[in-house]
Amino acid sequence: KVARPWDPKEYARLSRTSIDEGTLVLQNISFKVGDVRATYQFALESPANSERTSYDDEFISVSLYPAETQLGFVLRNRSSEPIKVLWDQCAYVDPLGQSLRVIHSGIRMIQKDAAMSPSVVPPGASLKEAMTPADYITYVGGEAGWSVRQMFPTRFVQALPLKGIAISIFMPIEIKGSPHNYTFTLRAKDIIPD
């Protein structure tokens, strides 16, 4: 066969350099561009290390579900008293360390800068929610309306450079009348093509 020249419209190229046990490793990855989707594999780094994206303590149980434009979660109240998620104090910390205000799924995009009431979770009950950084929401006008920037790109070629990045969710929860500041840090351990 005759080798064809590289066509930028047909192939995506990624180059990566790393130092592995004192040896310089150069990796080149080439593949056809198309609808190759990325699957992220996250692990919890804090408040405790876990291969899963969930955390439990005496007051709460939380499972986190990162998605393209939001971070979903299920929060279960394990205490004997109601708890409150203090939305106005919650924040998303991006891979660059920038703290960004979030809105939850019950908030209209046009109200992304308005104050948010706390969500009350009775004893033994669960709250299923999703949060999006407010700065990632823009009004583009016309028929398109509102647009939400990706937190986690779904195309493999865009996602691969994010392997190893960490993001955090700062979530103050009022328990028995006093705030408990939870910071959930997730690291993208791996990104694989679908």
Side-chain angles (χ1 to χ4, degrees):
K1 286 186 173 178
V2 177
R4 291 187 330 165
W6 177 69
D7 180 355
K9 293 178 185 169
E10 186 176 347
Y11 286 88
R13 285 199 175 290
L14 298 175
S15 292
R16 184 185 217 171
T17 305
S18 64
I19 298 177
D20 185 20
E21 296 180 20
T23 305
L24 184 64
V25 178
L26 181 62
Q27 300 170 336
N28 288 312
I29 303 168
S30 299
F31 53 90
K32 285 194 173 197
V33 173
D35 224 2
V36 179
R37 296 185 57 83
T39 297
Y40 293 78
Q41 294 177 343
F42 286 93
L44 186 69
E45 285 195 347
S46 73
N49 279 324
S50 172
E51 290 298 311
R52 303 174 318 152
T53 58
S54 58
Y55 172 76
D56 300 297
D57 67 16
E58 63 183 298
F59 303 115
I60 65 164
S61 173
V62 65
S63 296
L64 304 161
Y65 305 99
E68 180 181 354
T69 59
Q70 61 188 7
L71 185 91
F73 68 91
V74 177
L75 172 70
R76 186 171 149 256
N77 181 355
R78 298 178 68 182
S79 76
S80 59
E81 302 287 328
I83 64 173
K84 293 180 184 178
V85 177
L86 305 175
W87 287 111
D88 275 339
Q89 298 172 30
C90 290
Y92 167 72
V93 181
D94 73 11
L96 299 176
Q98 296 179 49
S99 176
L100 304 170
R101 171 186 165 82
V102 297
I103 65 167
H104 61 91
S105 59
I107 302 298
R108 294 177 50 202
M109 290 184 188
I110 197 167
Q111 296 175 318
K112 68 180 185 139
D113 298 318
M116 296 178 284
S117 299
S119 292
V120 177
V121 186
S126 295
L127 173 68
K128 184 177 181 180
E129 264 294 357
M131 56 177 67
T132 302
D135 286 356
Y136 287 18
I137 300 168
T138 54
Y139 184 70
V140 293
E143 289 184 25
W146 292 91
S147 173
V148 181
R149 190 175 103 203
Q150 292 180 328
M151 294 171 67
F152 307 105
T154 57
R155 291 192 61 213
F156 182 71
V157 69
Q158 295 168 330
L160 191 58
L162 300 179
K163 182 177 177 179
I165 60 106
I167 56 106
S168 296
I169 298 299
F170 177 68
M171 186 186 299
I173 299 175
E174 185 178 296
I175 303 170
K176 296 182 181 180
S178 64
H180 287 66
N181 295 328
Y182 288 93
T183 300
F184 303 104
T185 301
L186 299 173
R187 184 166 301 277
K189 287 183 11 177
D190 203 1
I191 299 171
I192 55 175
D194 273 349

